[in-house]
Amino acid sequence: MVQVEITANDSGQRLDRFLKKFLANAPLSGIYKIIRKDLKVNGKRAKEDSFINEGDILCFYMMDEEFEKLTAKKKPTHAKRQFTVCYEDDDVLVVSKPFGLLVHGDATEKKNTLTNQVIDYLIEKGDYVPRLEKSFTPAPVHRLDRNTTGLVVFGKNAKALRELNSLFAEKSDVQNETLKNDYNGVKKFYKAICLGKIDRSVTLEGYLVKDSRTNKVRVSLKSSPGAKYIKTVVRPQLYNDKYSLVEVELITGRSHQIRAHLASIKHPILGDPKYGQGSAQYLHAAKLILKGNEIKAPLPREFREKAIQLFGEENIDEY
């Protein structure tokens, strides 16, 4: 028999979801078999959908060798640090992501991701010790596209991650096409260089419809099954007859929202490979207001140089 005590970072989870992470080398069928036959929680049988809490004792009725095999962790992957830290406290880490870096791995890249880089950073600082954790890993609360730069928020412990996920959760009222005025404690602002002249502020509303075949979205003015309400505020900062530097405030936070919304009004983001033309996309998550804290990420060098080229250096310094 092997006993395991649930810690604060592991509490508040369904038993089966905890075991999927803790017994990482066990097949799903094996996990449910263990729950039925080889596990007790606080001396009693438990159902897979029961919740575990801090201080609970899990007793696994198996040999030590089998337990170690099921819980053996993979060697950590080390990725060269490319991000910069913009804000950090005991619970929250906000970093600025560079151009071309994935937040999470995909079929093209699994090792060198922002998440892996952040985990390495927290291990080096001693803020995250994998051998002391059963299921928790620091994680981002939201994500940016590979070619979007700027602020990404991470939870450094389970409690913080749950609270941040709640803050960033979508709070739109689709039926009435309105949103709560308090934005649920989070405001997100982006900088973008767009094609065409935008000389006045505009509030864009509509519905985002996803095409799973092309992994693209389109904006519709009418609701339809599966469509998601979106709201975007665009404020011009600099412009000429061909280009505009704008600040974009995300009221809702949908995937590809800014890119699709600007393209829908014939002002696609300069260099957007999916909704415009090119490969050097000029979209930057520049500012975040999180529970009263204003956090900023300076413009990347390439973005600033392009803005200087289009609008003049004396104008860019202000932004």
Side-chain angles (χ1 to χ4, degrees), residues 166-184 205-208 227-232 250-254 257:
S166 178
L167 283 175
F168 277 77
E170 199 60 60
K171 298 296 182 182
S172 58
D173 182 341
V174 177
Q175 183 176 357
N176 295 319
E177 300 185 9
T178 59
L179 287 162
K180 294 182 178 180
N181 293 328
D182 63 4
Y183 301 95
N184 205 38
E205 296 182 82
Y207 295 87
L208 215 55
K228 295 181 179 180
Y229 173 69
I230 56 172
K231 185 173 182 179
T232 312
L250 273 183
I251 307 303
T252 56
R254 309 294 190 185
Q257 176 179 325

mmCIF file of all heavy atoms in Angstrom, residues 166-184 205-208 227-232 250-254 257:
data_model
loop_
_atom_site.group_PDB
_atom_site.id
_atom_site.type_symbol
_atom_site.label_atom_id
_atom_site.label_comp_id
_atom_site.label_asym_id
_atom_site.label_seq_id
_atom_site.Cartn_x
_atom_site.Cartn_y
_atom_site.Cartn_z
ATOM 1 N N SER A 166 -10.932 32.371 -13.650
ATOM 2 C CA SER A 166 -12.252 32.951 -13.407
ATOM 3 C C SER A 166 -12.311 34.401 -13.885
ATOM 4 O O SER A 166 -13.291 34.822 -14.493
ATOM 5 C CB SER A 166 -12.587 32.873 -11.915
ATOM 6 O OG SER A 166 -13.832 33.475 -11.648
ATOM 7 N N LEU A 167 -11.244 35.157 -13.626
ATOM 8 C CA LEU A 167 -11.206 36.558 -14.056
ATOM 9 C C LEU A 167 -11.235 36.687 -15.575
ATOM 10 O O LEU A 167 -11.883 37.586 -16.122
ATOM 11 C CB LEU A 167 -9.947 37.240 -13.519
ATOM 12 C CG LEU A 167 -9.942 37.651 -12.046
ATOM 13 C CD1 LEU A 167 -8.571 38.195 -11.667
ATOM 14 C CD2 LEU A 167 -11.006 38.691 -11.768
ATOM 15 N N PHE A 168 -10.513 35.795 -16.255
ATOM 16 C CA PHE A 168 -10.410 35.893 -17.701
ATOM 17 C C PHE A 168 -11.561 35.204 -18.426
ATOM 18 O O PHE A 168 -11.656 35.293 -19.651
ATOM 19 C CB PHE A 168 -9.078 35.286 -18.167
ATOM 20 C CG PHE A 168 -7.912 36.237 -18.076
ATOM 21 C CD1 PHE A 168 -7.310 36.502 -16.855
ATOM 22 C CD2 PHE A 168 -7.422 36.864 -19.204
ATOM 23 C CE1 PHE A 168 -6.241 37.367 -16.757
ATOM 24 C CE2 PHE A 168 -6.353 37.736 -19.115
ATOM 25 C CZ PHE A 168 -5.760 37.991 -17.895
ATOM 26 N N ALA A 169 -12.415 34.514 -17.700
ATOM 27 C CA ALA A 169 -13.521 33.804 -18.332
ATOM 28 C C ALA A 169 -14.440 34.784 -19.048
ATOM 29 O O ALA A 169 -14.643 35.921 -18.628
ATOM 30 C CB ALA A 169 -14.303 33.013 -17.288
ATOM 31 N N GLU A 170 -15.014 34.326 -20.149
ATOM 32 C CA GLU A 170 -15.907 35.176 -20.925
ATOM 33 C C GLU A 170 -17.158 35.494 -20.123
ATOM 34 O O GLU A 170 -17.775 34.622 -19.537
ATOM 35 C CB GLU A 170 -16.298 34.452 -22.212
ATOM 36 C CG GLU A 170 -16.835 35.363 -23.284
ATOM 37 C CD GLU A 170 -15.814 36.418 -23.686
ATOM 38 O OE1 GLU A 170 -14.722 36.061 -24.136
ATOM 39 O OE2 GLU A 170 -16.137 37.588 -23.531
ATOM 40 N N LYS A 171 -17.545 36.785 -20.080
ATOM 41 C CA LYS A 171 -18.699 37.217 -19.305
ATOM 42 C C LYS A 171 -19.739 37.926 -20.174
ATOM 43 O O LYS A 171 -20.492 38.760 -19.692
ATOM 44 C CB LYS A 171 -18.244 38.153 -18.174
ATOM 45 C CG LYS A 171 -17.298 37.488 -17.168
ATOM 46 C CD LYS A 171 -17.972 36.360 -16.426
ATOM 47 C CE LYS A 171 -17.048 35.737 -15.408
ATOM 48 N NZ LYS A 171 -17.650 34.601 -14.694
ATOM 49 N N SER A 172 -19.764 37.624 -21.464
ATOM 50 C CA SER A 172 -20.693 38.325 -22.353
ATOM 51 C C SER A 172 -22.111 37.787 -22.209
ATOM 52 O O SER A 172 -22.336 36.619 -21.942
ATOM 53 C CB SER A 172 -20.249 38.185 -23.804
ATOM 54 O OG SER A 172 -20.173 36.834 -24.166
ATOM 55 N N ASP A 173 -23.056 38.671 -22.393
ATOM 56 C CA ASP A 173 -24.468 38.310 -22.412
ATOM 57 C C ASP A 173 -24.881 38.291 -23.880
ATOM 58 O O ASP A 173 -25.191 39.317 -24.468
ATOM 59 C CB ASP A 173 -25.276 39.333 -21.620
ATOM 60 C CG ASP A 173 -26.761 38.992 -21.555
ATOM 61 O OD1 ASP A 173 -27.206 38.185 -22.396
ATOM 62 O OD2 ASP A 173 -27.455 39.530 -20.698
ATOM 63 N N VAL A 174 -24.855 37.096 -24.492
ATOM 64 C CA VAL A 174 -25.059 37.000 -25.933
ATOM 65 C C VAL A 174 -26.464 37.438 -26.324
ATOM 66 O O VAL A 174 -26.668 38.108 -27.326
ATOM 67 C CB VAL A 174 -24.788 35.562 -26.409
ATOM 68 C CG1 VAL A 174 -25.072 35.420 -27.893
ATOM 69 C CG2 VAL A 174 -23.347 35.173 -26.107
ATOM 70 N N GLN A 175 -27.439 37.088 -25.531
ATOM 71 C CA GLN A 175 -28.817 37.369 -25.899
ATOM 72 C C GLN A 175 -29.067 38.870 -26.016
ATOM 73 O O GLN A 175 -29.718 39.345 -26.951
ATOM 74 C CB GLN A 175 -29.788 36.768 -24.869
ATOM 75 C CG GLN A 175 -31.254 36.975 -25.235
ATOM 76 C CD GLN A 175 -32.181 36.293 -24.252
ATOM 77 O OE1 GLN A 175 -31.734 35.628 -23.330
ATOM 78 N NE2 GLN A 175 -33.478 36.448 -24.446
ATOM 79 N N ASN A 176 -28.553 39.628 -25.066
ATOM 80 C CA ASN A 176 -28.789 41.069 -25.071
ATOM 81 C C ASN A 176 -27.650 41.861 -25.718
ATOM 82 O O ASN A 176 -27.711 43.081 -25.805
ATOM 83 C CB ASN A 176 -28.984 41.569 -23.636
ATOM 84 C CG ASN A 176 -30.233 40.978 -23.015
ATOM 85 O OD1 ASN A 176 -31.262 40.868 -23.666
ATOM 86 N ND2 ASN A 176 -30.133 40.581 -21.752
ATOM 87 N N GLU A 177 -26.611 41.137 -26.177
ATOM 88 C CA GLU A 177 -25.468 41.766 -26.839
ATOM 89 C C GLU A 177 -24.848 42.864 -25.974
ATOM 90 O O GLU A 177 -24.492 43.934 -26.442
ATOM 91 C CB GLU A 177 -25.869 42.322 -28.204
ATOM 92 C CG GLU A 177 -26.399 41.257 -29.153
ATOM 93 C CD GLU A 177 -26.692 41.789 -30.541
ATOM 94 O OE1 GLU A 177 -26.332 42.941 -30.817
ATOM 95 O OE2 GLU A 177 -27.285 41.060 -31.337
ATOM 96 N N THR A 178 -24.769 42.620 -24.683
ATOM 97 C CA THR A 178 -24.161 43.583 -23.768
ATOM 98 C C THR A 178 -23.162 42.859 -22.892
ATOM 99 O O THR A 178 -23.147 41.633 -22.815
ATOM 100 C CB THR A 178 -25.217 44.256 -22.872
ATOM 101 O OG1 THR A 178 -25.906 43.245 -22.126
ATOM 102 C CG2 THR A 178 -26.217 45.039 -23.693
ATOM 103 N N LEU A 179 -22.321 43.632 -22.228
ATOM 104 C CA LEU A 179 -21.344 43.067 -21.305
ATOM 105 C C LEU A 179 -21.389 43.831 -20.001
ATOM 106 O O LEU A 179 -21.785 44.998 -19.963
ATOM 107 C CB LEU A 179 -19.931 43.177 -21.900
ATOM 108 C CG LEU A 179 -19.637 42.222 -23.052
ATOM 109 C CD1 LEU A 179 -18.434 42.706 -23.834
ATOM 110 C CD2 LEU A 179 -19.372 40.837 -22.515
ATOM 111 N N LYS A 180 -20.966 43.186 -18.936
ATOM 112 C CA LYS A 180 -20.889 43.869 -17.659
ATOM 113 C C LYS A 180 -19.873 45.000 -17.745
ATOM 114 O O LYS A 180 -18.816 44.878 -18.351
ATOM 115 C CB LYS A 180 -20.483 42.884 -16.553
ATOM 116 C CG LYS A 180 -21.541 41.818 -16.292
ATOM 117 C CD LYS A 180 -21.114 40.910 -15.163
ATOM 118 C CE LYS A 180 -22.194 39.864 -14.878
ATOM 119 N NZ LYS A 180 -21.799 38.969 -13.779
ATOM 120 N N ASN A 181 -20.171 46.117 -17.109
ATOM 121 C CA ASN A 181 -19.303 47.291 -17.206
ATOM 122 C C ASN A 181 -17.960 47.117 -16.508
ATOM 123 O O ASN A 181 -16.995 47.797 -16.826
ATOM 124 C CB ASN A 181 -20.017 48.516 -16.629
ATOM 125 C CG ASN A 181 -21.211 48.937 -17.476
ATOM 126 O OD1 ASN A 181 -21.171 48.766 -18.693
ATOM 127 N ND2 ASN A 181 -22.242 49.458 -16.846
ATOM 128 N N ASP A 182 -17.884 46.211 -15.551
ATOM 129 C CA ASP A 182 -16.627 46.065 -14.804
ATOM 130 C C ASP A 182 -15.616 45.154 -15.499
ATOM 131 O O ASP A 182 -14.509 44.988 -15.033
ATOM 132 C CB ASP A 182 -16.897 45.534 -13.391
ATOM 133 C CG ASP A 182 -17.519 44.142 -13.379
ATOM 134 O OD1 ASP A 182 -17.679 43.553 -14.466
ATOM 135 O OD2 ASP A 182 -17.833 43.657 -12.290
ATOM 136 N N TYR A 183 -15.968 44.567 -16.660
ATOM 137 C CA TYR A 183 -15.082 43.696 -17.429
ATOM 138 C C TYR A 183 -14.533 42.555 -16.569
ATOM 139 O O TYR A 183 -13.526 41.951 -16.902
ATOM 140 C CB TYR A 183 -13.909 44.485 -18.015
ATOM 141 C CG TYR A 183 -14.342 45.614 -18.918
ATOM 142 C CD1 TYR A 183 -14.476 46.905 -18.440
ATOM 143 C CD2 TYR A 183 -14.611 45.364 -20.258
ATOM 144 C CE1 TYR A 183 -14.880 47.932 -19.273
ATOM 145 C CE2 TYR A 183 -15.013 46.385 -21.100
ATOM 146 C CZ TYR A 183 -15.142 47.671 -20.595
ATOM 147 O OH TYR A 183 -15.541 48.678 -21.426
ATOM 148 N N ASN A 184 -15.156 42.302 -15.440
ATOM 149 C CA ASN A 184 -14.748 41.214 -14.550
ATOM 150 C C ASN A 184 -13.324 41.374 -14.020
ATOM 151 O O ASN A 184 -12.646 40.418 -13.724
ATOM 152 C CB ASN A 184 -14.874 39.870 -15.270
ATOM 153 C CG ASN A 184 -15.054 38.737 -14.279
ATOM 154 O OD1 ASN A 184 -15.737 38.893 -13.279
ATOM 155 N ND2 ASN A 184 -14.451 37.600 -14.554
ATOM 156 N N GLU A 205 -19.065 45.432 -33.221
ATOM 157 C CA GLU A 205 -19.795 44.318 -32.622
ATOM 158 C C GLU A 205 -20.193 43.339 -33.711
ATOM 159 O O GLU A 205 -20.325 43.710 -34.877
ATOM 160 C CB GLU A 205 -21.021 44.819 -31.866
ATOM 161 C CG GLU A 205 -20.704 45.699 -30.672
ATOM 162 C CD GLU A 205 -21.954 46.128 -29.921
ATOM 163 O OE1 GLU A 205 -22.447 45.333 -29.089
ATOM 164 O OE2 GLU A 205 -22.435 47.252 -30.175
ATOM 165 N N GLY A 206 -20.406 42.121 -33.330
ATOM 166 C CA GLY A 206 -20.820 41.120 -34.294
ATOM 167 C C GLY A 206 -20.740 39.733 -33.706
ATOM 168 O O GLY A 206 -20.709 39.560 -32.473
ATOM 169 N N TYR A 207 -20.692 38.732 -34.572
ATOM 170 C CA TYR A 207 -20.633 37.333 -34.151
ATOM 171 C C TYR A 207 -19.527 36.629 -34.923
ATOM 172 O O TYR A 207 -19.383 36.802 -36.137
ATOM 173 C CB TYR A 207 -21.970 36.640 -34.387
ATOM 174 C CG TYR A 207 -23.070 37.212 -33.528
ATOM 175 C CD1 TYR A 207 -23.796 38.322 -33.960
ATOM 176 C CD2 TYR A 207 -23.354 36.680 -32.277
ATOM 177 C CE1 TYR A 207 -24.786 38.880 -33.163
ATOM 178 C CE2 TYR A 207 -24.351 37.231 -31.472
ATOM 179 C CZ TYR A 207 -25.065 38.328 -31.924
ATOM 180 O OH TYR A 207 -26.031 38.879 -31.132
ATOM 181 N N LEU A 208 -18.749 35.854 -34.200
ATOM 182 C CA LEU A 208 -17.621 35.151 -34.796
ATOM 183 C C LEU A 208 -18.050 33.734 -35.158
ATOM 184 O O LEU A 208 -18.536 32.991 -34.309
ATOM 185 C CB LEU A 208 -16.458 35.117 -33.800
ATOM 186 C CG LEU A 208 -15.038 35.223 -34.357
ATOM 187 C CD1 LEU A 208 -14.873 36.464 -35.226
ATOM 188 C CD2 LEU A 208 -14.040 35.250 -33.217
ATOM 189 N N ALA A 227 -22.272 30.537 -33.316
ATOM 190 C CA ALA A 227 -21.582 31.830 -33.414
ATOM 191 C C ALA A 227 -21.401 32.436 -32.023
ATOM 192 O O ALA A 227 -22.234 32.247 -31.139
ATOM 193 C CB ALA A 227 -22.374 32.783 -34.293
ATOM 194 N N LYS A 228 -20.304 33.184 -31.845
ATOM 195 C CA LYS A 228 -19.997 33.787 -30.553
ATOM 196 C C LYS A 228 -19.951 35.302 -30.669
ATOM 197 O O LYS A 228 -19.318 35.846 -31.571
ATOM 198 C CB LYS A 228 -18.660 33.251 -30.018
ATOM 199 C CG LYS A 228 -18.690 31.763 -29.708
ATOM 200 C CD LYS A 228 -17.366 31.275 -29.159
ATOM 201 C CE LYS A 228 -17.420 29.793 -28.819
ATOM 202 N NZ LYS A 228 -16.135 29.298 -28.272
ATOM 203 N N TYR A 229 -20.629 35.959 -29.753
ATOM 204 C CA TYR A 229 -20.684 37.418 -29.752
ATOM 205 C C TYR A 229 -19.301 38.007 -29.481
ATOM 206 O O TYR A 229 -18.553 37.511 -28.634
ATOM 207 C CB TYR A 229 -21.666 37.880 -28.666
ATOM 208 C CG TYR A 229 -21.675 39.378 -28.447
ATOM 209 C CD1 TYR A 229 -22.188 40.235 -29.412
ATOM 210 C CD2 TYR A 229 -21.166 39.925 -27.276
ATOM 211 C CE1 TYR A 229 -22.197 41.605 -29.205
ATOM 212 C CE2 TYR A 229 -21.162 41.293 -27.065
ATOM 213 C CZ TYR A 229 -21.678 42.137 -28.036
ATOM 214 O OH TYR A 229 -21.683 43.488 -27.839
ATOM 215 N N ILE A 230 -18.959 39.073 -30.212
ATOM 216 C CA ILE A 230 -17.678 39.754 -30.024
ATOM 217 C C ILE A 230 -17.881 41.264 -30.001
ATOM 218 O O ILE A 230 -18.794 41.801 -30.624
ATOM 219 C CB ILE A 230 -16.647 39.392 -31.124
ATOM 220 C CG1 ILE A 230 -17.207 39.679 -32.512
ATOM 221 C CG2 ILE A 230 -16.202 37.956 -30.985
ATOM 222 C CD1 ILE A 230 -16.179 39.515 -33.623
ATOM 223 N N LYS A 231 -17.006 41.912 -29.258
ATOM 224 C CA LYS A 231 -17.030 43.378 -29.184
ATOM 225 C C LYS A 231 -15.593 43.874 -29.088
ATOM 226 O O LYS A 231 -14.817 43.404 -28.245
ATOM 227 C CB LYS A 231 -17.845 43.842 -27.972
ATOM 228 C CG LYS A 231 -18.018 45.362 -27.893
ATOM 229 C CD LYS A 231 -18.973 45.736 -26.759
ATOM 230 C CE LYS A 231 -19.201 47.241 -26.695
ATOM 231 N NZ LYS A 231 -20.148 47.603 -25.623
ATOM 232 N N THR A 232 -15.245 44.819 -29.965
ATOM 233 C CA THR A 232 -13.881 45.331 -30.074
ATOM 234 C C THR A 232 -13.934 46.839 -30.208
ATOM 235 O O THR A 232 -14.723 47.355 -31.009
ATOM 236 C CB THR A 232 -13.180 44.743 -31.322
ATOM 237 O OG1 THR A 232 -13.367 43.328 -31.360
ATOM 238 C CG2 THR A 232 -11.705 45.070 -31.320
ATOM 239 N N LEU A 250 -9.911 44.873 -26.227
ATOM 240 C CA LEU A 250 -10.744 43.672 -26.333
ATOM 241 C C LEU A 250 -11.796 43.687 -25.229
ATOM 242 O O LEU A 250 -11.454 43.619 -24.054
ATOM 243 C CB LEU A 250 -9.886 42.416 -26.192
ATOM 244 C CG LEU A 250 -9.238 41.844 -27.442
ATOM 245 C CD1 LEU A 250 -8.500 40.562 -27.086
ATOM 246 C CD2 LEU A 250 -10.262 41.564 -28.519
ATOM 247 N N ILE A 251 -13.044 43.782 -25.624
ATOM 248 C CA ILE A 251 -14.120 43.684 -24.629
ATOM 249 C C ILE A 251 -14.465 42.213 -24.411
ATOM 250 O O ILE A 251 -14.596 41.744 -23.285
ATOM 251 C CB ILE A 251 -15.351 44.483 -25.075
ATOM 252 C CG1 ILE A 251 -14.967 45.926 -25.431
ATOM 253 C CG2 ILE A 251 -16.406 44.479 -23.971
ATOM 254 C CD1 ILE A 251 -14.278 46.683 -24.321
ATOM 255 N N THR A 252 -14.616 41.470 -25.506
ATOM 256 C CA THR A 252 -14.652 40.004 -25.412
ATOM 257 C C THR A 252 -13.274 39.503 -25.841
ATOM 258 O O THR A 252 -12.495 40.252 -26.419
ATOM 259 C CB THR A 252 -15.730 39.412 -26.334
ATOM 260 O OG1 THR A 252 -15.480 39.857 -27.671
ATOM 261 C CG2 THR A 252 -17.118 39.857 -25.895
ATOM 262 N N GLY A 253 -12.980 38.257 -25.575
ATOM 263 C CA GLY A 253 -11.651 37.740 -25.897
ATOM 264 C C GLY A 253 -11.714 36.438 -26.655
ATOM 265 O O GLY A 253 -11.433 35.380 -26.113
ATOM 266 N N ARG A 254 -12.052 36.506 -27.929
ATOM 267 C CA ARG A 254 -12.165 35.298 -28.755
ATOM 268 C C ARG A 254 -10.906 35.092 -29.598
ATOM 269 O O ARG A 254 -10.215 36.056 -29.929
ATOM 270 C CB ARG A 254 -13.359 35.420 -29.699
ATOM 271 C CG ARG A 254 -14.670 35.816 -29.049
ATOM 272 C CD ARG A 254 -15.197 34.758 -28.110
ATOM 273 N NE ARG A 254 -16.567 35.068 -27.686
ATOM 274 C CZ ARG A 254 -17.248 34.373 -26.794
ATOM 275 N NH1 ARG A 254 -16.685 33.329 -26.212
ATOM 276 N NH2 ARG A 254 -18.477 34.704 -26.457
ATOM 277 N N GLN A 257 -10.037 37.278 -32.785
ATOM 278 C CA GLN A 257 -11.046 38.335 -32.804
ATOM 279 C C GLN A 257 -10.538 39.624 -33.426
ATOM 280 O O GLN A 257 -11.196 40.205 -34.310
ATOM 281 C CB GLN A 257 -11.542 38.612 -31.375
ATOM 282 C CG GLN A 257 -12.535 39.775 -31.294
ATOM 283 C CD GLN A 257 -13.031 40.017 -29.892
ATOM 284 O OE1 GLN A 257 -13.212 39.079 -29.125
ATOM 285 N NE2 GLN A 257 -13.277 41.267 -29.537
#
